[in-house]
Amino acid sequence: MIIGIGSDLIDIRRIEQTVSRFGDRFLDRIFTPVEKARSDRRAMTRIESYAKRFAAKEACAKALGTGLRKGVFWRDMGVVNLPGGKPTMALTGGALARLQILLPPGCEAQIDLSITDEPPMAQAIVIITAIPRPGATA
């Protein structure tokens, strides 16, 4: 059962201007160490990588139904990749607490993430699904 859907579209140039103006202060406030390491490895597409991750965080906050309030902060949501490379979101802190409130008893969350860019735009879509735990009864 789908319990949340969020999408976001961002102008990559906006992230580029913000990084130029605030540098590490902005990056440290918004992105997890894993996200920063992954984006910084992409010399030619560094800003696009950050923009996609920014859009993913916005989309995730929308899917949680809170936006960036009610204890949900930027670094509580991080883009990570599964072993096969598929992107997903890792939630901690207030984002994880909100997710746990949304989950029906006996279910676990599956977070599907699609991120893309076509400069000057980047887009992300997040779908949060409640999946019954194996052996759980309703």
Side-chain angles (χ1 to χ4, degrees):
M1 147 184 30
I2 293 175
I3 58 174
I5 299 175
S7 69
D8 192 64
L9 183 67
I10 188 167
D11 190 321
I12 296 167
R13 295 169 293 194
R14 184 175 144 215
I15 296 299
E16 184 174 37
Q17 291 167 354
T18 304
V19 170
S20 292
R21 183 172 178 194
F22 297 105
D24 285 338
R25 195 168 114 211
F26 168 74
L27 297 175
D28 292 342
R29 179 174 175 244
I30 304 297
F31 300 100
T32 67
V34 170
E35 291 173 308
K36 288 173 47 183
R38 189 165 185 97
S39 293
D40 288 342
R41 281 195 306 264
R42 292 171 163 68
M44 298 295 291
T45 59
R46 177 177 178 256
I47 296 299
E48 289 88 343
S49 180
Y50 276 120
K52 287 187 287 188
R53 283 158 177 72
F54 188 92
K57 292 168 181 283
E58 288 272 11
C60 186
K62 292 172 186 175
L64 291 170
T66 59
L68 290 156
R69 57 189 169 88
K70 295 189 177 181
V72 176
F73 299 100
W74 290 107
R75 285 182 291 154
D76 290 346
M77 302 168 286
V79 177
V80 296
N81 294 85
L82 298 175
K86 178 182 173 184
T88 189
M89 300 297 295
L91 305 185
T92 60
L96 180 58
R98 174 65 181 165
L99 177 62
Q100 291 169 339
I101 290 168
L102 294 175
L103 281 174
C107 290
E108 57 189 40
Q110 174 181 306
I111 303 176
D112 292 300
L113 168 63
S114 177
I115 52 177
T116 190
D117 67 278
E118 182 62 42
M121 304 305 287
Q123 180 182 27
I125 298 170
V126 171
I127 300 172
I128 303 173
T129 307
I131 307 293
R133 284 190 192 105
T137 58

